[in-house]
Amino acid sequence: MNEQGARRVVLVRAIETADTGHQVLSEDDRKYASRSARELAAWQASDSKSAVTQDLFLQQRSEQILKRLAERTPAFAAFQKRALGLPGFWAALPLLALFAGALLDRIADPHRVDLLSAPLLFIVGWNLLMYVVLLVWALVPRRKTGLAGQGLLRRLSVGKAVTPRKLPAPLAAGLTAFMTEWTQLSEPLTRARLSRTIHLSAAAFALGAVISLYARGLLRQYGAGWESTFLDPTQVHTLLSWLFTPALTVFPFLQGFSLADIEALRIVPGVTTAVGTLAAGAGERWVHLYGATILLLVILPRLALALFAALRAGRLARRFPLELEHPYFRKLADSIGAGTPAVLRVLPYSFTLDEARDRGLWTVAAMALGAQARVLLRPTVPYGEEPKEALREAALDEAGVTVTAALFNLAATPEKENHGAFLDYLSRNSKRGVAVLLDESGMLERAAGQAGVDARVNERIALWRQFCSFHGTAATVVNLLQPERRPIELGAGLALPELR
């Protein structure tokens, strides 16, 4: 699935998840979109003589839903047409860098090539330093934030995080959720594009300085010279020898220099002109040396790095890394018989399931992950036992598991040292995150016939949700004896961290 297709699919998922009351997309709208997408995907697959894939079905379905929403809501249609991110940024930054590089060289004497030119030495030195930083950054353990901040990544991914006015509340909530989700999902692609643009800009900056240097040489006769308070001719000769060695090695036709040349070009205070500094052609040698050095040490390496980043960005844009194992996508795939059945792995904590609740758990899995979903019920973890000991035989990275869920009894009071430690251990060791199921059936059974039951249940749900949020998870309330009391909408249940 390419970037555009993934963007539409994620947008539809965010809208459907937010629209739990079916205010902007009725059940008939969703079923019609799925049916039409299934037919269109089948036609396209038959034309290409291939099987119907989950990618193709999801793209067709998202197009159907977005088209219908755009017809009903003009403000949403305008949002769809607007370009996300800052599209002009990618071209504007290298162009600005080119002009800035040309202007930087104007700081120097327009009639003389300074052997110790601060702008040109800055360009070479800064880029060499950046190569070292990039090398070190590549060797250290990968960090989630990288060099670019989340605010910049968000602007580059979605632009201003402002939803259009006059939108129904569920649709506005869906767009807000989409912009947050898309920022996270497109982060690798945005970083690759940003890296490409920065390397291009660095190359353009250096190129601008070289172009300016040669352009002024067409209209003026350059002299050459140098002056320094702290460096003597021998030190300057050593410095320039190291600097220009790559250019003199790669381009043997360039004219070298000796210590006598450096001494002759020294500008002595109180003397109008150093010997030989304004002789015909005196500056040409140094223009070529600086130009070749910047080409070899700055422009070509930066272009190579930009090309590498561009290839990576192109690959990500063509095959966007959208995790289709998410419960929302698995349930839709189940409707067309694509892929393998989803697996819900359940880890009960101080909670033993009877036969009726076990059947209810299978119903919950079908509601959340599709009719073909299977339940993998693990042994109950005893209250107070260390999670590492209790789960030492459980492979939390087991292949084929779609969702890992911790199951708690809503009647229990959450405790940091027990329930919290259990959740923290699961979160650290489950790559795809952990869902939390809170079964209310036991609490309702014990409080049957008592006054104020609903209020007490709601208070306990609020307490558990706050507790789960503190431990980096989200809770879904279920009723394992009567699953229909807590229906799990498509994409709205089993809240999980985004599967990356």
Side-chain angles (χ1 to χ4, degrees), residues 295-410:
L295 175 67
L296 290 177
L297 299 184
V298 180
I299 298 175
L300 292 181
R302 286 289 193 170
L303 290 178
L305 291 170
L307 177 61
F308 177 79
L311 291 175
R312 183 169 182 268
R315 184 175 68 254
L316 290 173
R318 290 190 302 272
R319 302 186 64 180
F320 192 86
L322 184 62
E323 177 57 75
L324 297 181
E325 290 297 314
H326 191 280
Y328 171 89
F329 299 125
R330 291 301 297 263
K331 189 170 183 179
L332 286 175
D334 186 72
S335 68
I336 62 170
T340 58
V343 176
L344 174 64
R345 176 173 55 188
V346 179
L347 301 168
Y349 184 83
S350 185
F351 188 11
T352 301
L353 275 67
D354 54 25
E355 185 177 351
R357 287 182 171 85
D358 183 72
R359 289 196 302 269
L361 191 58
W362 281 80
T363 303
V364 168
M367 287 192 296
L369 302 174
Q372 303 301 317
R374 297 188 296 110
V375 174
L376 186 60
L377 183 61
R378 291 302 186 189
T380 299
V381 175
Y383 175 82
E385 186 171 344
E386 284 292 329
K388 185 176 181 180
E389 289 297 321
L391 300 173
R392 64 181 181 276
E393 297 181 0
L396 295 180
D397 57 350
E398 185 177 355
V401 173
T402 306
V403 177
T404 297
L407 176 61
F408 297 110
N409 190 338
L410 184 64

Side-chain angles (χ1 to χ4, degrees), residues 159-190:
K160 292 184 178 180
V162 178
T163 58
R165 297 180 180 180
K166 300 180 180 179
L167 284 179
L171 195 53
L175 294 186
T176 301
F178 160 73
M179 287 187 282
T180 300
E181 291 176 8
W182 186 251
T183 299
Q184 297 173 351
L185 289 172
S186 63
E187 182 177 326
L189 176 57
T190 304

Side-chain angles (χ1 to χ4, degrees), residues 16-17 30 61 327-328 331-332 367-368 488-493:
E16 285 193 273
T17 302
R30 304 179 193 212
R61 186 176 184 274
Y328 171 89
K331 189 170 183 179
L332 286 175
M367 287 192 296
I488 299 178
E489 291 288 342
L490 177 65

